[in-house]
Amino acid sequence: FFFCSSTHYVGSGGCGPPWPNTTTTTNEHSDTSVDKRFKDKANENEWWDEEDASCHRPLPLPLPIQRRCRRLRCRALESRTEKFLSDLEKESELALAKRDEEKRRKTEELEGIQDELDALYEVTFRGEELKRIASVTSAEDFRKLGKEDPEAFKDLMDVLREKDAKVWKDLQTKSHTLSLKKMELEAWLKEEQAREAVAEEEEEEEEEGASAEGFLLGSQAGEANIVCVVGFERFNLSLYKKVAKDLSKRSAGRIRLQVFSDQDIELHPEKVQSALKDSCDIFFGSLLFDYDTVTWLAEQVADIPVRFVFESDLSLMSMTQVGSFTMAMKDPGKKAGPPPAVKKILSLFGSGREEDRMVGYLSMLKFGPKLLKYLPGQKVRHLRNWLNVYNYWNQAGSSNVSSMFTLIVNEYVQKMSDVEMEQVTEMPSQGCIHPATGEIFETPAKYMEWYNKAGPLAGTGAPKVAILLYRKHVLTEQQYILQLIRHFEQDGLIPVPIFINGVEAHTVVRDLLTTKYEKDRGSLKKGFVEVDAIVSTIGFPLVGGPAGSIEAGRQSEVSKEILQSKNVPYVVAAPLLIQDIESWDRMGMTGLQSIVLYALPELDGAIDTVAIGGLVADDIFLIPERVKRLTSRLHKWISLRNKPNKDSKVAVLLYGFPPGVGATGTAALLNVPNSLVSLLKTLKDEGYDVGSIPDDLNGDDIIEMIRSLDNPRAISAGAAAVNEIGEKRMEKLGGSVSASEVSPAQLRDWLTFPRSWGPTEWGPIPFLPDASILAQKVESQWGNLGNPSHLSVSGEGNYVVSGLQFGNVWIGVQPLLGVEGDPMRLLFERDLTPHPQYAAFYSWLQNGFEADAVLHFGTHGTVEWLPGSPVGNTGLSWSDVLLGNLPNIYVYTANNPSESIIAKRRGYGTIVSHNVPPYGRSGLYKQLAILKDLISDFREDPVSSAMLKETIVDTMAAAGLYADCPYTEEKPKITVSDLEDIADSDFIGYMNRVFTYLQVVENRLFSEGLHVIGRAPDEEGMYKYLSAYFGDRMPDDLVKAICQAKGEHTVEQILERYGQAEAPTTSISEEVETALSIRNLLMKNTEETRSLVRALNGEYIPSVAGGDLLRDGPGVLPTGRNIHALDPYRMPSEAAFQRGTSAAKQIIAQHQDQNNGEFPETCAVALWGLDSIKTKGDAVAIVLHLVGAKTERDSTGRIARFELIPLAELGRPRIDVVCNMSGIFRDTFQNVVDLLDDLFARAAESDEPLEMNFIRKHTEEMAAKGIDRGTSRLFSNPSGDYGSMVNERVGSSNWEDGTELGDTWVSRNAFSYGKGGEKGNARPEVLESLLKTTDRVVQEIDSVEYGLTDIQEYYANTGALRKAAETARNSTGRKGKVGCSIVECFGEETSPKELEDVLRMEYRSKLLNPKWADAMVSQGSGGAYEISVRMTSLLGWNATADFESDFVYDQAIETYVDNEEVAEALKKANPQAFANILKRSIEAARRGFWNADEEQIEKLTEMYNEMDKLLEGVD
C-alpha cells in the first residue's frame, strides 16, 4: 500500500560516515524528517516526553567501526508508545463497532423504505377499475407486471392518469424518491459486503502463514541462495561482493549470495539467468530502471518465492513478494490495504503539501518497523520485515547490508541462529557535515555556529554556498565529498554541506536556507542559515529528486516558486554516476546521464551545470579542475550581486556571420539596433555606467560605427589607428571607440593552464594534458601565433580586438571562426580550434577588459558551438575555455528551445527569452489581388462575364500562377487560344480551384517585422497577435474591442462594449477571457529588459518551456524567462503520436495518389531538435507509423520501447525510413535514437515476407553485398559536429551544380548512430544503398517564423538530401524526381504538401508580398539582412530542388531594386545586404536559374559594381 518510488539512485555500501569520533548534537526525534504532526499527535496521546527522548540516545559503536562513525540506536518504544498504539487499536476497534452499528441501522432503514414502497403501490392501485386490469399490491407486483405484461402495464397507467392525474403524479414523485434512497442503501450494503469478503480472504491468507516456521523455504535444504542485481549503484559492487564472502564464511557456506550489475544482464545474460534459475530462494534488486533489464528480470524472477525490489521501475517493484505482503495490486474489487491502525499511523507523517508527500513516506519508512511491531497479524509481520530490510539497505554500510541478508534468510529461508545479525546502524536522514569535525549537525544554523568559531574561513566574510549532498554518498564514505568541501574553501567559498536522501531537497531549500533577498521568511524553520548561492550535487528535479523525475516537471512550478523566493543562482554540479569518465571524455555525456544533470534540473531554472567527476571502474573520482571552474563561476555570479551597478563591467556581443552579406548587428527575429538602445537606457536607469548616451540615441548609428571598425588598413596600423575611427561621431553617441591589442605572448599565456597542474588537478581523465596544450592546438591548426595572414592582426603581429565603449558597457562583434570562403568549417570539425583572433577576443574580455558578465545579444552566436565535448564540458572544450568564468546572459528568441539548450549546456548561457514579432496575414497584392477580383466577378455570372476569361488567363500567366494551380496534369498552362476548346463547366471548376488557392495565400501568416526587446505591442501589434491566435474563432470586431480596452477590463465589460452582454455563449466568454489573459501577458514584454537586469544582478531567472503563442498557447508568455526543452523520455507525447500518425497516413496516401497506388519503399524523414521539442515528437511519430510501430510505456509513463505492430493489424507493408538527424536531435534525444535503432534492428529480423517488410528486404540486400550493419537507419554529422556545410558552399558560391551539393550532404551525414558503440560510425555504403530506394523525403515545419524560405538549413538538408537521393536513384536507372512532403504543423491544417507548392506559396506570401517587404524595410539594418538571406536561400532551392523561380526573381527585383525608394532605403540601412541581393540575382541568371534578359543583367551588374566600390570605400 505504500507509494513506491525512487528516493535516490545510489545504493548501499561503505562502512559508515567518514568522520572520526562523531557525536550528535541532538536526539534522533529532532530530525527534521519527523513531521510536526506526528509529535503533536503523540502529545495528544500523552506518550511523547522530551525527557523520555533518552530512548533515542546513541550508543557506542563496536571498536572496528567506532573510529570512523557513530551509531544511533533506537531502543524499543516504551510504555508510552505502547499506550499510544493501544489507543490507536482501540480507536480502530471502536471504528469497527461503529461500522457494524451503521450496517444494522441501514439494513433496518432499507426494510422500512421497502415497506413504504409496497404501501404506496397498494393504496394507489386499490380501485376496482384498476384491479380489473391487474392486481398490484406491492412494488414487486408493479415491477413484474411491467416485465411480463407490457400491454396490461400500459393500460393500467393510462387509466390511472385519466382517472386521477394528481394520484398518478404523486406516484411518480414518491416512488422515484423512495427508489433513489433504496438504491443508495443497497449500494452501501453491497460495498460493505465486498469489504468484509476481502477482510475474510486476508484473514485466511494470514492464517495460512500463521506459523513462522511453516513459512521457511529452506528448512530441508539447510542453505539459502540469494541473487542480488544492482542498477545505478555500480560503484557499490565491491561492497556487495565483500558481504557475499563474509556471509559465506560466517554461515559455513550455507548462505550463497551472488552479485551482478545491470550491465551483466546486457553483456552476460546467461550467467545471471543461470544464477536465478539455480535453486534461487531470494531475489534482491535495487535501482533498476532500464526497460530491457526490467522486462528481462520480470520474466526471470517471477517464480522466485521471496523478492525484494527497492527504488526501481514501478513494474518491477510491484513484483515484491515478502510472505503474504506484496506490492502488486489486486483486482479492483479486492484491493488490499493496511489495517486501520496502520492507516492511522501513516496519516501522521507528512506536511499535507503535495510536494512533501515523499518526505512523509521517508519518515514512515524510518519509524514504521518500530510502530508496526505492536500490531498483530502475519501480514503486518511481513510488512514490518519489508520495512526493516529497507531500513538496513537505506542506512548502508557492510554491517547493515550483511545483517539485511541475514534477516531475510532467517525469516524466509532457514533459521541460522549461529549467524550473527546486528541491529541497524543508523544515521540522521539529513544534517550538515565537515571533514574538520566529527560532529553531524542537526541544522545549517548549528553548523554555521560551529563554523564561525572553528571553520577554515571563519571571520573572512567569504560568500556562503549551500551544497546539497547525497546522504548515501556520505554513508558510503565517498571521498569526493570531503575533497569537494575542501576545494570550496581553498577557492574562498564557505561550504554549507547538507546531506539529504534526495526527495526532500526542496524542503531543505525552502525551510532551512534563506538569502538576504528573501522577502517572506514565513516558511522558514528553526535552524535556517543565509547563503549566497545553492549547488545541488544530486541533479534531477528539485522537488522529489529522482522520484520527481517519474513525471518530469509535475512540481516544477513549486520549485520555481521556492527558488524565486530565494533569488540566488541555483547550480547543478555532480559526478557522473551512470557513465564513466573515459566515455564522457570520448563522446560527451549521454542518455540518462544528461537527463539527470541537464534536462530535468533545467525545468527548475538551474544554470551553469558542471560535471565535477565520475566513475572509473567502480569508484567515484573528483576532477578538481572542473570544481575550480564551478567555484570560479560561482564567485562571479555572487560578485554580480554584491558589486554596485555603477562599477559592473558588461560586454555586449553582436554577431556578424556570415561575412560580407550585411549580417553585422543582426539576430533572428530581433531588431538589434533598437534593442541595443532599449538595453542601454534600461541599464542607465538601473545605475549602470553607460557613458553619456543622448536621449535620442539611434541604434543604427551604433551598428554603422561598429561596422566601420572592420577596416583592414586601420587594423594593420594597430589599435591606436582603430581608436581614431569616427572619434567625433562617437562623442555624439556618448561613447568612444575601444580597441586593444593582444600580443602572441599574452594570448599564449592566457591559453596556458598553470604549469604546476598535474594528476591532482586533472583527476583520472584518459590523458594528462600539457599546460600549453590549447596554444599548441591553435598553432597546429593555424600556424604560429601572430602570423600576418591571420585575421585582425596588426603590423606588429598583435591581435586587434575592437568595439565601442559606453562607460562600463563594451559592445563588440563576435569574431569570425575561420578563414574567409569557409568561415564555418570550424563548427563541423571537432579537432579544429577557433581562429587565434577569436581566442584572443574572448580571452581579452576575461583578462583585458575584465568583464563581470557577457551578454550575447540575440539568436545566435557561435561560442557555444565550438569544438569540444558535445554535452558536458571538459577543461579542453573550447566553449568552456573561452567563456571561462564569465556569467553568460543570452538573449534568445522564445520559440527556439532547441538551439537555446546548446547555449545553456555548452555555453553556460542563462537564457532571457524575447518575444517573436507580431503575425501578419499575407493578403493579396498586384496581379494576385486583381486576379481574385476578376475571378469573383466571373463566378457571380459566368455567362455575362465570359469576356473576362481572356484577362484572367493572361493575368495568371503574368503572376506565374500556373505552376501553383495547373489546369490539368497533362496541360498545366492554358492560353487565350485554348479557351474555345474548354467547356464552360470545366473552366468554372478550374476558377473555383484557383479562387480557393488565392484565399489560402491571402490568409497565410508570417512574422511582420522584428521584435524590440522590452517593448510591449501597441494596439495594432496586439490586434495582429490576437487575430492570428484566434483566427475564425473570434469575430474581428471583438478582437479590436479587446485591443482597444485600456487597463483592467472584465469579460462582461468587453462583451457589453461589443454588444453581446445580454446573452453571451459560454464559448465566447471563455475565448474573451483567454484573449484578455494573452493581452495582459503580451503587455509584460517589458519583463524582457527587467530580466536582463536581474540576470546581470546575479538573480534567479524563472524557467519556462520554449515555444510560440500560435502552437503552444499562452503558457509560453510572458517572455523574459529562462527557456528549456522537454523530458526526452516522453517523446513522442500521446498527442504528438496521434498527430504524427495522421500525417504519416496522409503522406502514404499522397505518394500513392502520385504513383498509381504504389507504396514508397523508403522515406527519408528529417528529425530536427527544434521541431521535436516544439511538437513533442510529431516527426518521430511519423517514422513510427511508416515503419508500423507504436510506443510502449513503462510503469512511470516514460516510453521504454517502440513495438512493432503485427502485419495483420497494420494491413500494409512496413516502409523503410532513413532518419536524417540534426546534431541537436542526435545529442538531445539519445534515448530516442537508441529506441529507434532497436526498432529497425527488430524489424529487419522479423520473419515477414520481403514484399511486406521493406526494412528486412533492404537489409538482406545489403548483407548479400557484404555491407556491414545494414540495419543502420539513423544518420547525422560526425559526433560533436553540426551542419551539412551545403549552405556554406552556397553562401560562398563554391559549387558547380546541385549534384555536388548533394554529394556534400552525403559526406557530412553518412555517420550512423544507435545502440552499443554506434556513436557516429562512418557508414556511407549503407546510406548510399538506402538513398537508391528512397521515394520520398519528409520535412516538418514547426512555426510561422521559420519557413522553408526563411532560413538556410532547409535547403541545405532537405533540398540537398532529395538531390542526393535523386542522384543515387539515377545511378540505378531510376529517373524522375523524388517526392518531398512538407508537413506544416503549426496550424490546424497539417495535410502534407509537395515541396514546390509550399515554396511558391511562401514566396508569394513573404518575399514578394509588399506588406512583408514594407515591414522588413522599416526595420532598417536587420530587415535588409532578412531580405538578403531569403535571396541566398532562393538560390539554394534552385540548386538543390531545381525550383523554377522566374516569377520570384522577376518580382523580387521589381520590389527591392527597381523601386528606387526601397532600394535607397536598403542601401543606406545595410549596404552589404543590398549588395548580396544583387549578387544572388546575377548569380542565378548566370547559373541558368533565372531567365533574365541581358539588359537587366547588365543593369544589376553595374549596380553591384557600384556597391562594391562603395563598400571598399567604407572598408
Side-chain angles (χ1 to χ4, degrees), residues 671-716:
N671 185 316
V672 173
N674 291 349
S675 295
L676 270 179
V677 173
S678 177
L679 171 69
L680 289 171
K681 289 185 175 181
T682 300
L683 292 179
K684 180 180 180 180
D685 293 341
E686 293 293 328
Y688 286 83
D689 181 358
V690 295
S692 52
I693 59 172
D695 292 337
D696 60 349
L697 180 64
N698 188 309
D700 286 320
D701 291 341
I702 296 176
I703 300 302
E704 189 176 340
M705 272 303 306
I706 287 177
R707 286 188 185 135
S708 71
L709 302 183
D710 187 20
N711 185 314
R713 293 190 184 90
I715 291 171
S716 179

Side-chain angles (χ1 to χ4, degrees), residues 161 174 191 314 482 493 724 772 895 1093 1240 1304 1407 1439:
R161 188 185 301 110
K174 290 179 182 179
E191 184 179 340
L314 295 183
L482 299 176
L493 295 171
E724 293 176 0
S772 58
N895 71 343
V1093 171
F1240 286 117
T1304 299
L1407 183 68

Side-chain angles (χ1 to χ4, degrees), residues 942-988:
V943 176
S944 62
S945 300
M947 75 287 297
L948 295 178
K949 287 184 179 181
E950 293 185 6
T951 307
I952 289 173
V953 168
D954 289 340
T955 306
M956 284 191 65
L961 209 59
Y962 285 116
D964 305 60
C965 302
Y967 176 61
T968 64
E969 189 174 341
E970 297 77 18
K971 186 178 181 59
K973 297 181 181 180
I974 57 176
T975 63
V976 172
S977 60
D978 295 322
L979 292 175
E980 292 182 3
D981 301 325
I982 297 175
D984 289 342
S985 59
D986 291 340
F987 190 80
I988 292 171

Side-chain angles (χ1 to χ4, degrees), residues 1259-1276:
T1259 302
E1260 291 190 0
E1261 288 173 352
M1262 284 185 268
K1265 297 176 183 178
I1267 297 176
D1268 189 32
R1269 207 178 193 274
T1271 60
S1272 291
R1273 295 297 186 275
L1274 293 115
F1275 292 91
S1276 186

Side-chain angles (χ1 to χ4, degrees), residues 477-488:
E477 296 188 13
Q478 298 303 322
Q479 291 300 307
Y480 84 88
I481 290 178
L482 299 176
Q483 297 167 11
L484 183 64
I485 294 169
R486 289 300 194 197
H487 280 298
F488 266 66

